[in-house]
Amino acid sequence: MNFDSIDLGNLFWKIIHIPGHTAGSIGILIPKLKLFLSGDTLSPSICLNFPNALTIDDLINTLYSIQKLNFNSYLTSHHNHLVQKEYINDLIKCCLISKKEKNYKYISPLEPNQTRKLYIYSNKYGECISIIY
């Protein structure tokens, strides 16, 4: 794949590299709809425990970059509703706080010999965001 946009005639999509969840993650910005399709990168259950996942610092940098894009809401994998762009602030807070506060030990059934960190953050609306890294 060697292109960075898709022109559907009536609708233009811009492909954005958003490393973090995995090194090759992409998102699709649809400017006309002010919509971003984020794949797993903006999920409220952040998983950085895959072999090709990047570091939490890489993810934080990606989240800051995504905030600069021009959209109002996004769709993320594993969820069936639009999420407002402001929610990215909560994802960033979860990542930053998880580096400073106590984490839980997490052992994945897929990686029984690997011990990871799990942090759960609750935003001002009581919604939970979790990160495994």
Side-chain angles (χ1 to χ4, degrees), residues 24-73:
S25 292
I26 64 164
I28 298 174
L29 180 64
I30 307 173
K32 184 176 182 179
L33 301 177
K34 297 241 184 230
L35 178 66
F36 188 62
L37 308 177
S38 71
D40 288 330
T41 300
L42 298 181
S43 172
S45 299
I46 304 165
C47 296
L48 300 178
N49 59 324
F50 298 105
N52 58 348
L54 299 181
T55 68
I56 191 168
D57 291 324
D58 292 324
L59 177 63
I60 291 167
N61 289 334
T62 293
L63 294 174
Y64 282 129
S65 295
I66 292 171
Q67 275 189 319
K68 295 175 186 174
L69 299 173
N70 187 15
F71 66 94
N72 296 332
S73 55

Side-chain angles (χ1 to χ4, degrees), residues 86-101:
E86 292 78 29
Y87 191 76
I88 297 171
N89 292 325
D90 291 328
L91 297 175
I92 292 170
K93 283 179 192 174
C94 177
C95 291
L96 292 172
I97 294 170
S98 75
K99 292 173 61 173
K100 297 176 184 173
E101 291 193 9

